[in-house]
Amino acid sequence: LSYDPNGLGVPYSSAFASDTHVRLVELAAQVLCVLLDCGLPGNPEPVENDDGEPVVEFEEASRGGFNVFRTLLARIDSGRELTFLYKGFVRLLRNVYESKNTYLPNSVAKLECFQELLVLFWKLLEENPLFMNHVLTQCDVNEIV
């Protein structure tokens, strides 16, 4: 989410230099969508952190349809991290509008993964009630629209 699609703000800069970050952002968004959609089949084994404590309670992980990525997404609770996520989604989703509304045609490269970004934003709102509360109370919702 820290990728800036405008770069330095130089028009047509994407035509002169191949930006591998664009492809990385697109693939990462697609992979994260897939990982958040699938459940965990079979019998999981307990996973412990460095202190010997379970990362996720084994009873919770043993249930059908458990997804560790959704659990980790729901555990984000720092205001700084929630603001970083929101500002990143705003910057990436704003690219769709900015790439179409320029004086110079095709001067801003368009991200092709805006649908995946919307799905990820929706899943984050759905899985993390703190993020929903943070967006509604402390962020400018007009930026995302």
Side-chain angles (χ1 to χ4, degrees):
L1 288 176
S2 64
Y3 173 69
D4 187 9
N6 292 334
L8 299 174
V10 177
Y12 299 107
S13 63
S14 62
F16 298 114
S18 63
D19 194 4
T20 57
H21 296 298
V22 173
R23 189 68 182 141
L24 179 66
V25 168
E26 292 172 353
L27 289 174
Q30 291 171 357
V31 168
L32 196 52
C33 282
V34 169
L35 290 174
L36 288 172
D37 273 343
C38 66
L40 183 65
N43 297 323
E45 300 206 9
V47 178
E48 298 177 349
N49 61 13
D50 295 336
D51 298 331
E53 300 171 354
V55 174
V56 178
E57 295 299 324
F58 186 68
E59 292 78 27
E60 181 183 352
S62 299
R63 291 185 310 193
F66 172 77
N67 188 326
V68 71
F69 297 102
R70 285 186 175 201
T71 303
L72 293 174
L73 197 64
R75 288 185 179 177
I76 299 172
D77 59 354
S78 166
R80 187 174 53 95
E81 292 172 343
L82 296 173
T83 301
F84 172 76
L85 287 170
Y86 180 74
K87 294 291 184 186
F89 276 115
V90 166
R91 182 176 47 256
L92 292 175
L93 290 172
R94 188 182 296 156
N95 174 262
V96 175
Y97 173 76
E98 289 176 349
S99 65
K100 291 182 181 180
N101 296 320
T102 59
Y103 290 116
L104 302 171
N106 299 323
S107 63
V108 176
K110 178 183 172 190
L111 286 177
E112 299 296 329
C113 64
F114 67 93
Q115 294 171 336
E116 288 88 351
L117 290 170
L118 285 173
V119 168
L120 288 174
F121 186 71
W122 181 262
K123 287 189 180 295
L124 187 58
L125 288 171
E126 189 177 62
E127 294 294 326
N128 194 333
L130 291 174
F131 184 68
M132 169 98 64
N133 187 28
H134 180 78
V135 167
L136 293 176
T137 58
Q138 298 181 8
C139 297
D140 185 11
V141 180
N142 294 327
E143 288 181 333
I144 203 78
V145 178

